[in-house]
Amino acid sequence: MEGTRTHHDGIPDRLTLHVGDEGRLFERARTRSRPNELVVSPVELHQRNVQRRLREARLPKDAFRFEDPVGICVRVLEAAERSTAAVDRVDRLSLIRSVLDAAAADDSTDLPLPTGTASRDPRHIEQIRTEVEAITNFHPERSAAWTETAGEIDAPIDDEAAALLDAGFGIERELRGQTAKAVSETALVRRATRSIAATNGSSWAEAYPDIERLTLLGLSSLSAPHTDLVNALLAATSVTVHVHFREGSGEYLRRRIPDLLAVADPGTEAFE
């Protein structure tokens, strides 16, 4: 089943949405001197499955270059001569533990933390930070929307939702004060998104001069960081984008795309 856009659904002209229908990719398999399509999947296993299917069908892979979202953003940042150093999860948990210990020793700290027995567990705090990052990308418009929506929910869930947002932003702010590196690999996606927008697409063109199409595969969701990256590409480059959602959640996500893309200045952070 294919989900396609219309001229009236608020979807940009160079963006095509699909539910399933990944066989379309194989129709574009050609022998080429250089790849002209970037095939991107957040899950490496999905990429390997696509490559296996190409081999089994004895189709050439020359037209495709396979990457994950972080990988393409690292390449863009390298082209823009920006740092690509990022804290990995193990080191991030260690930093969070240090922040929590410092907060426990200082009664005057204003670090917002959720209540409950897990409030001092670095893994729990990191999970909150990661979820807030995935939903908002730390963008001021999405943060405001979260706060507004939380205010419309019945108590005590309203306070809990607001506390989660505050905790996610609070620990992110503290981590940024602890390291000069990007706090997470997702932060590299934001940096690349801003670079593409700020350079009017030239950093992307330098990193991928031959790429005409970007295909996102195997998505059961579309995070805010990946949405903002797609948004910047559509606004600042001539690349066409195909997004293939998985069956089940695909129809819902396809309907949500106009709202997800309706964010000004993708990659902007509320900390700035």
Side-chain angles (χ1 to χ4, degrees):
M1 177 181 181
E2 180 186 3
T4 57
R5 59 180 173 81
T6 71
H7 294 296
H8 306 288
D9 59 11
I11 296 174
D13 289 340
R14 287 181 290 107
L15 174 62
T16 302
L17 306 176
H18 308 262
V19 178
D21 201 37
E22 294 182 3
R24 289 293 183 93
L25 176 71
F26 303 107
E27 295 174 3
R28 298 192 291 272
R30 299 285 188 277
T31 300
R32 295 180 57 91
S33 59
R34 290 188 179 89
N36 69 334
E37 181 164 349
L38 198 57
V39 181
V40 181
S41 173
V43 180
E44 185 180 353
L45 178 61
H46 197 84
Q47 289 189 37
R48 293 203 300 267
N49 287 339
V50 170
Q51 294 179 63
R52 175 182 54 77
R53 290 172 63 188
L54 284 168
R55 288 195 302 271
E56 291 174 348
R58 297 184 178 181
L59 293 171
K61 296 190 293 183
D62 303 355
F64 309 124
R65 175 169 180 161
F66 294 87
E67 267 289 9
D68 59 59
V70 173
I72 64 175
C73 289
V74 166
R75 188 177 178 92
V76 167
L77 291 172
E78 289 174 342
E81 299 183 344
R82 297 278 308 279
S83 173
T84 61
V87 178
D88 64 22
R89 187 175 188 275
V90 172
D91 288 342
R92 193 162 53 250
L93 288 174
S94 179
L95 288 174
I96 291 173
R97 185 174 293 107
S98 297
V99 169
L100 294 176
D101 289 345
D106 184 1
D107 292 336
S108 64
T109 182
D110 59 355
L111 176 64
L113 291 174
T115 59
T117 57
S119 64
R120 299 291 173 176
D121 181 353
R123 292 170 298 180
H124 178 63
I125 300 302
E126 167 60 6
Q127 181 181 358
I128 292 173
R129 190 204 65 81
T130 300
E131 290 177 355
V132 170
E133 184 175 47
I135 294 170
T136 69
N137 205 22
F138 299 122
H139 193 286
E141 288 186 25
R142 294 197 186 95
S143 173
W146 182 316
T147 300
E148 180 180 353
T149 301
E152 298 171 354
I153 302 173
D154 294 337
I157 301 176
D158 55 344
D159 290 338
E160 293 173 358
L164 289 175
L165 180 68
D166 290 343
F169 269 80
I171 199 64
E172 174 75 14
R173 186 179 293 105
E174 291 293 327
L175 288 174
R176 292 182 183 207
Q178 296 289 319
T179 178
K181 296 180 180 180
V183 168
S184 66
E185 287 188 333
T186 305
L188 299 180
V189 177
R190 275 193 301 281
R191 290 183 181 181
T193 298
R194 292 198 299 271
S195 178
I196 292 167
T199 63
N200 200 27
S202 64
S203 60
W204 173 267
E206 185 173 347
Y208 294 105
D210 300 308
I211 295 299
E212 302 168 359
R213 179 187 294 109
L214 182 143
T215 297
L216 278 166
L217 294 176
L219 300 182
S220 56
S221 63
L222 189 59
S223 70
H226 296 160
T227 299
D228 285 350
L229 176 62
V230 168
N231 205 350
L233 286 172
L234 293 171
T237 76
S238 60
V239 171
T240 61
V241 179
H242 286 251
V243 177
H244 291 259
F245 295 117
R246 291 182 180 179
E247 300 282 355
S249 60
E251 284 294 344
Y252 168 76
L253 290 170
R254 187 162 63 94
R255 293 192 300 269
R256 288 279 297 137
I257 284 293
D259 290 337
L260 293 174
L261 291 175
V263 171
D265 302 320
T268 298
E269 297 175 322
F271 304 101
E272 298 173 350

